[in-house]
Amino acid sequence: MIELIYQHRLISTLAVAIVLISLKYLLVSLVRSRAKKKRQDKRYLVSNIKNLLNFILIVLLLSLWINEIQNFALSIAAFAVAIVIATREFIQCIIGFFYVMSTRPFRIGDWIQVDGFAGEVSAIDWVKTTMLEVDIDRYQYSGKTLFVPNNRLISSPIKNLNFLKRYVTHHFTITRDEDINPYLIIENLREKAQQQCADFYEVATRYNQIIERRLDVKIPGPEPVIEVSTNNVGHTEIRCTIFCPTERAIEIEQKIMQEFMELWFIEFNKIQPSSN
């Protein structure tokens, strides 16, 4: 039977490829349909199924054609160095895949930053990591897809931003001229900021504590932090730090800025008559 299979390697190759590719398609479709019904994120499982069946396919094909590969390798031994150099990037990508799988710096669904590009990891294969780009300043998907070669995951620092998916320590600065004393309104502004964060304060406190325990560091929050400083041209800067749900960060920033402008112009109008 085995001899018959080896005598018809081409047919066996096609049969193995068709069976495994069909099996991969069916399993992936089944997992995705169940995940959709249960509203669960199973992209990591889909990625693992694809990588496992691709590995099995490669092993089976190599076992079928091992003799021919050995003869071919011997016949091109003189060009082996050139082949290694030509496929160096590809080999590094495969090594990068094993590095990611063994060290687990991130998982499917995590937010990461590599080479200045940030995104949500949607798939990992033998050659590349696929990411859905995220505008890290506004915490929104850009609609672009990034394909990062796995060799970059070895040579470049990887920032795991997964905690930013739910809650974020958001910083923003409001700059005004020096017409009024900012300390006249700073307490009112702090109260306004606390009101904006009141509805999620308890959840933010628990999440803040979870992050601090896991990272073993102290991070700002959940109380809003408002500080006053000046820039290099002497204008007043109000620096705000809020620990809030990621999807609401920009919304809360705009509301606090609106409150600040109202308080600022109230004080400004008070000093206008005296200046005249």
Side-chain angles (χ1 to χ4, degrees):
M1 181 65 178
I2 297 177
E3 293 181 357
L4 182 62
I5 292 176
Y6 277 99
Q7 290 176 358
H8 300 85
R9 288 187 180 88
L10 183 59
I11 297 175
S12 300
T13 299
L14 291 174
V16 169
I18 291 172
V19 170
L20 286 179
I21 292 174
S22 300
L23 180 61
K24 178 172 67 175
Y25 176 79
L26 290 174
L27 288 177
V28 168
S29 299
L30 180 61
V31 171
R32 283 177 173 169
S33 62
R34 288 188 175 181
K36 187 175 181 180
K37 291 179 181 178
K38 296 182 179 180
R39 296 183 178 179
Q40 296 177 340
D41 187 356
K42 294 293 185 180
R43 288 178 294 180
Y44 70 94
L45 181 58
V46 170
S47 180
N48 290 339
I49 290 173
K50 289 182 178 179
N51 291 327
L52 176 61
L53 291 179
N54 287 338
F55 178 75
I56 294 174
L57 177 60
I58 292 173
V59 170
L60 291 177
L61 293 181
L62 287 176
S63 65
L64 286 173
W65 295 91
I66 188 65
N67 293 331
E68 284 71 12
I69 293 173
Q70 288 177 345
N71 294 332
F72 178 73
L74 292 174
S75 66
I76 63 169
F79 304 100
V81 175
I83 291 175
V84 170
I85 293 175
T87 59
R88 180 180 59 185
E89 297 292 332
F90 181 76
I91 294 172
Q92 288 177 346
C93 288
I94 296 178
I95 294 173
F97 171 79
F98 284 108
Y99 165 75
V100 171
M101 291 294 103
S102 60
T103 61
R104 289 291 185 179
F106 57 83
R107 298 176 182 273
I108 301 292
D110 284 1
W111 282 14
I112 66 170
Q113 187 171 18
V114 181
D115 282 345
F117 297 99
E120 179 181 307
V121 179
S122 61
I124 306 172
D125 58 34
W126 294 84
V127 179
K128 67 183 183 303
T129 297
T130 305
M131 297 164 49
L132 305 177
E133 189 180 41
V134 173
D135 183 349
I136 204 61
D137 294 323
R138 301 189 66 83
Y139 318 109
Q140 297 174 349
Y141 294 100
S142 68
K144 301 176 183 178
T145 302
L146 301 174
F147 300 97
V148 181
N150 287 339
N151 62 338
R152 303 301 299 170
L153 304 179
I154 300 177
S155 59
S156 300
I158 302 173
K159 292 183 180 180
N160 193 314
L161 310 175
N162 195 42
F163 283 122
L164 298 184
K165 288 187 67 177
R166 289 191 59 195
Y167 275 76
V168 63
T169 303
H170 182 57
H171 306 272
F172 63 95
T173 301
I174 307 172
T175 303
R176 294 293 303 174
D177 55 32
E178 65 282 5
D179 287 341
I180 69 167
N181 180 3
Y183 289 98
L184 295 175
I185 64 172
I186 199 69
E187 288 302 323
N188 286 337
L189 183 63
R190 187 174 287 113
E191 292 177 3
K192 299 289 186 181
Q194 291 173 347
Q195 291 174 8
Q196 295 294 337
C197 302
D199 61 322
F200 55 81
Y201 181 82
E202 293 184 1
V203 177
T205 301
R206 291 195 297 269
Y207 198 72
N208 181 274
Q209 293 171 350
I210 290 173
I211 296 176
E212 289 182 343
R213 284 198 300 269
R214 291 187 180 180
L215 300 182
D216 196 23
V217 294
K218 180 68 177 178
I219 62 174
E223 288 285 345
V225 177
I226 300 179
E227 301 170 325
V228 179
S229 64
T230 58
N231 58 19
N232 57 352
V233 295
H235 288 170
T236 301
E237 290 188 342
I238 309 298
R239 301 178 182 274
C240 303
T241 302
I242 54 174
F243 187 74
C244 63
T246 303
E247 69 274 7
R248 294 182 57 187
I250 304 303
E251 173 192 347
I252 295 175
E253 173 187 333
Q254 291 299 308
K255 290 181 178 179
I256 293 176
M257 188 171 294
Q258 178 183 350
E259 299 284 1
F260 169 81
M261 291 299 180
E262 292 175 356
L263 293 170
W264 182 275
F265 280 103
I266 288 174
E267 293 297 326
F268 180 77
N269 290 331
K270 287 180 181 179
I271 65 174
Q272 280 296 93
S274 61
S275 63
N276 291 333

